[in-house]
Amino acid sequence: MSQRIECSRRTCRWTGNYSTASKRDEGCMQTFICPRCQCDTFYDLPAPIITERVEHANALIKALSEHGRKFFEYKGTIATLELDKNGKVWFVSEYSKARVYTHYRGQWSGFHHGGTLRDLVCAMRDYITKGTLIPIGWIAPNRSNPDNGDIWGYGKEAAAAVRAAAAQLPIIKQGEQA
Ligand SMILES: [Zn+2]
């Protein structure tokens, strides 16, 4: 695997490698630049630490991306969660390719979803760091009147399908009614 790089701007944190970076022509020379902010300096990014719980969280993201409105999927790219060597969890956006620090309480730069999905990412973060299981009721939750569909706008069939897929995963609290 080619070396992972991250844009050096803290507010950007685009991640990729030199083949996915943009290039700027400067006469006979080419400079790699960040596709998000056009900055031309990068950090080398160490490989993320893979734990069983990280894999379980990413399995949930994958399940969500395969149904309905395909949350966390954009043009074939699926968002991922990663753990760093300090035990902190990062969300790599499917859309902006930005690495988002999930322990940050302020606005998440590069995160292109609303508060409901941010809360879900925080729940996945807590599963990774503490093992806290996620209730199935968090997955495509129904509105207070179920006739009005699910909060995610997946639609009745896709909402049922994504809940059924999620219910099989170790990150979901077992023995609860959907
Ligand atoms: Zn950048």
Side-chain angles (χ1 to χ4, degrees), residues 58 61-62 72-73 77-81 91-94:
N58 283 324
I61 290 181
K62 187 161 182 292
F72 299 122
E73 189 269 350
T77 302
I78 299 172
T80 51
L81 285 162
F91 173 87
V92 182
S93 165
E94 74 283 8

PDB file of all heavy atoms in Angstrom, residues 58 61-62 72-73 77-81 91-94:
ATOM      1  N   ASN A  58     -16.800  -0.465  11.535  1.00  0.00           N
ATOM      2  CA  ASN A  58     -16.765  -0.272  10.086  1.00  0.00           C
ATOM      3  C   ASN A  58     -17.743  -1.205   9.370  1.00  0.00           C
ATOM      4  O   ASN A  58     -18.267  -0.862   8.306  1.00  0.00           O
ATOM      5  CB  ASN A  58     -15.333  -0.433   9.558  1.00  0.00           C
ATOM      6  CG  ASN A  58     -14.495   0.806   9.864  1.00  0.00           C
ATOM      7  OD1 ASN A  58     -15.000   1.927   9.828  1.00  0.00           O
ATOM      8  ND2 ASN A  58     -13.228   0.604  10.193  1.00  0.00           N
ATOM      9  N   ILE A  61     -20.974   0.734   9.440  1.00  0.00           N
ATOM     10  CA  ILE A  61     -20.961   1.776   8.397  1.00  0.00           C
ATOM     11  C   ILE A  61     -21.235   1.157   7.032  1.00  0.00           C
ATOM     12  O   ILE A  61     -22.015   1.675   6.237  1.00  0.00           O
ATOM     13  CB  ILE A  61     -19.605   2.525   8.398  1.00  0.00           C
ATOM     14  CG1 ILE A  61     -19.493   3.388   9.668  1.00  0.00           C
ATOM     15  CG2 ILE A  61     -19.463   3.384   7.147  1.00  0.00           C
ATOM     16  CD1 ILE A  61     -18.211   4.182   9.767  1.00  0.00           C
ATOM     17  N   LYS A  62     -20.608   0.007   6.785  1.00  0.00           N
ATOM     18  CA  LYS A  62     -20.791  -0.661   5.493  1.00  0.00           C
ATOM     19  C   LYS A  62     -22.258  -1.074   5.310  1.00  0.00           C
ATOM     20  O   LYS A  62     -22.827  -0.883   4.232  1.00  0.00           O
ATOM     21  CB  LYS A  62     -19.864  -1.882   5.402  1.00  0.00           C
ATOM     22  CG  LYS A  62     -19.861  -2.546   4.049  1.00  0.00           C
ATOM     23  CD  LYS A  62     -18.619  -3.421   3.881  1.00  0.00           C
ATOM     24  CE  LYS A  62     -18.589  -4.056   2.490  1.00  0.00           C
ATOM     25  NZ  LYS A  62     -19.659  -5.064   2.308  1.00  0.00           N
ATOM     26  N   PHE A  72     -23.045   7.341   4.245  1.00  0.00           N
ATOM     27  CA  PHE A  72     -21.600   7.081   4.375  1.00  0.00           C
ATOM     28  C   PHE A  72     -20.984   6.479   3.109  1.00  0.00           C
ATOM     29  O   PHE A  72     -19.877   5.962   3.155  1.00  0.00           O
ATOM     30  CB  PHE A  72     -21.291   6.193   5.592  1.00  0.00           C
ATOM     31  CG  PHE A  72     -21.703   6.798   6.909  1.00  0.00           C
ATOM     32  CD1 PHE A  72     -22.589   6.146   7.756  1.00  0.00           C
ATOM     33  CD2 PHE A  72     -21.211   8.038   7.309  1.00  0.00           C
ATOM     34  CE1 PHE A  72     -22.972   6.717   8.972  1.00  0.00           C
ATOM     35  CE2 PHE A  72     -21.584   8.610   8.521  1.00  0.00           C
ATOM     36  CZ  PHE A  72     -22.468   7.945   9.346  1.00  0.00           C
ATOM     37  N   GLU A  73     -21.712   6.549   1.985  1.00  0.00           N
ATOM     38  CA  GLU A  73     -21.125   6.097   0.722  1.00  0.00           C
ATOM     39  C   GLU A  73     -21.210   7.247  -0.269  1.00  0.00           C
ATOM     40  O   GLU A  73     -22.222   7.942  -0.348  1.00  0.00           O
ATOM     41  CB  GLU A  73     -21.886   4.885   0.185  1.00  0.00           C
ATOM     42  CG  GLU A  73     -21.234   4.200  -1.008  1.00  0.00           C
ATOM     43  CD  GLU A  73     -21.681   4.709  -2.384  1.00  0.00           C
ATOM     44  OE1 GLU A  73     -22.659   5.502  -2.452  1.00  0.00           O
ATOM     45  OE2 GLU A  73     -21.053   4.343  -3.376  1.00  0.00           O
ATOM     46  N   THR A  77     -16.885   5.231  -2.559  1.00  0.00           N
ATOM     47  CA  THR A  77     -16.044   5.321  -1.359  1.00  0.00           C
ATOM     48  C   THR A  77     -16.928   5.234  -0.120  1.00  0.00           C
ATOM     49  O   THR A  77     -17.967   5.884  -0.054  1.00  0.00           O
ATOM     50  CB  THR A  77     -15.275   6.656  -1.344  1.00  0.00           C
ATOM     51  OG1 THR A  77     -14.484   6.732  -2.532  1.00  0.00           O
ATOM     52  CG2 THR A  77     -14.366   6.762  -0.126  1.00  0.00           C
ATOM     53  N   ILE A  78     -16.501   4.430   0.831  1.00  0.00           N
ATOM     54  CA  ILE A  78     -17.248   4.287   2.078  1.00  0.00           C
ATOM     55  C   ILE A  78     -16.422   4.913   3.199  1.00  0.00           C
ATOM     56  O   ILE A  78     -15.197   4.749   3.254  1.00  0.00           O
ATOM     57  CB  ILE A  78     -17.538   2.801   2.372  1.00  0.00           C
ATOM     58  CG1 ILE A  78     -18.374   2.189   1.248  1.00  0.00           C
ATOM     59  CG2 ILE A  78     -18.272   2.644   3.709  1.00  0.00           C
ATOM     60  CD1 ILE A  78     -18.545   0.688   1.361  1.00  0.00           C
ATOM     61  N   ALA A  79     -17.099   5.655   4.065  1.00  0.00           N
ATOM     62  CA  ALA A  79     -16.414   6.263   5.215  1.00  0.00           C
ATOM     63  C   ALA A  79     -15.845   5.164   6.110  1.00  0.00           C
ATOM     64  O   ALA A  79     -16.345   4.036   6.124  1.00  0.00           O
ATOM     65  CB  ALA A  79     -17.399   7.118   6.006  1.00  0.00           C
ATOM     66  N   THR A  80     -14.796   5.501   6.848  1.00  0.00           N
ATOM     67  CA  THR A  80     -14.240   4.527   7.785  1.00  0.00           C
ATOM     68  C   THR A  80     -13.928   5.216   9.106  1.00  0.00           C
ATOM     69  O   THR A  80     -13.697   6.425   9.168  1.00  0.00           O
ATOM     70  CB  THR A  80     -12.923   3.902   7.262  1.00  0.00           C
ATOM     71  OG1 THR A  80     -12.039   4.934   6.874  1.00  0.00           O
ATOM     72  CG2 THR A  80     -13.166   2.967   6.106  1.00  0.00           C
ATOM     73  N   LEU A  81     -13.917   4.416  10.142  1.00  0.00           N
ATOM     74  CA  LEU A  81     -13.439   4.867  11.438  1.00  0.00           C
ATOM     75  C   LEU A  81     -12.062   4.270  11.661  1.00  0.00           C
ATOM     76  O   LEU A  81     -11.797   3.140  11.249  1.00  0.00           O
ATOM     77  CB  LEU A  81     -14.395   4.418  12.540  1.00  0.00           C
ATOM     78  CG  LEU A  81     -15.696   5.228  12.608  1.00  0.00           C
ATOM     79  CD1 LEU A  81     -16.744   4.488  13.395  1.00  0.00           C
ATOM     80  CD2 LEU A  81     -15.445   6.599  13.214  1.00  0.00           C
ATOM     81  N   PHE A  91     -12.806   9.782  12.088  1.00  0.00           N
ATOM     82  CA  PHE A  91     -13.756   9.420  11.038  1.00  0.00           C
ATOM     83  C   PHE A  91     -13.185   9.956   9.723  1.00  0.00           C
ATOM     84  O   PHE A  91     -12.894  11.142   9.615  1.00  0.00           O
ATOM     85  CB  PHE A  91     -15.109  10.083  11.343  1.00  0.00           C
ATOM     86  CG  PHE A  91     -16.143   9.935  10.261  1.00  0.00           C
ATOM     87  CD1 PHE A  91     -16.968   8.821  10.216  1.00  0.00           C
ATOM     88  CD2 PHE A  91     -16.305  10.921   9.298  1.00  0.00           C
ATOM     89  CE1 PHE A  91     -17.926   8.687   9.228  1.00  0.00           C
ATOM     90  CE2 PHE A  91     -17.266  10.793   8.304  1.00  0.00           C
ATOM     91  CZ  PHE A  91     -18.077   9.670   8.272  1.00  0.00           C
ATOM     92  N   VAL A  92     -13.015   9.075   8.752  1.00  0.00           N
ATOM     93  CA  VAL A  92     -12.538   9.540   7.453  1.00  0.00           C
ATOM     94  C   VAL A  92     -13.742   9.639   6.528  1.00  0.00           C
ATOM     95  O   VAL A  92     -14.400   8.646   6.223  1.00  0.00           O
ATOM     96  CB  VAL A  92     -11.464   8.600   6.870  1.00  0.00           C
ATOM     97  CG1 VAL A  92     -10.952   9.140   5.533  1.00  0.00           C
ATOM     98  CG2 VAL A  92     -10.303   8.444   7.848  1.00  0.00           C
ATOM     99  N   SER A  93     -14.044  10.873   6.117  1.00  0.00           N
ATOM    100  CA  SER A  93     -15.261  11.157   5.356  1.00  0.00           C
ATOM    101  C   SER A  93     -15.218  10.560   3.961  1.00  0.00           C
ATOM    102  O   SER A  93     -14.226  10.708   3.244  1.00  0.00           O
ATOM    103  CB  SER A  93     -15.452  12.677   5.254  1.00  0.00           C
ATOM    104  OG  SER A  93     -16.399  12.977   4.247  1.00  0.00           O
ATOM    105  N   GLU A  94     -16.332   9.927   3.576  1.00  0.00           N
ATOM    106  CA  GLU A  94     -16.457   9.363   2.232  1.00  0.00           C
ATOM    107  C   GLU A  94     -16.495  10.466   1.183  1.00  0.00           C
ATOM    108  O   GLU A  94     -16.146  10.244   0.041  1.00  0.00           O
ATOM    109  CB  GLU A  94     -17.737   8.510   2.148  1.00  0.00           C
ATOM    110  CG  GLU A  94     -19.068   9.279   2.078  1.00  0.00           C
ATOM    111  CD  GLU A  94     -19.528   9.837   3.430  1.00  0.00           C
ATOM    112  OE1 GLU A  94     -18.764   9.765   4.416  1.00  0.00           O
ATOM    113  OE2 GLU A  94     -20.663  10.353   3.485  1.00  0.00           O
TER     114      GLU A  94
END
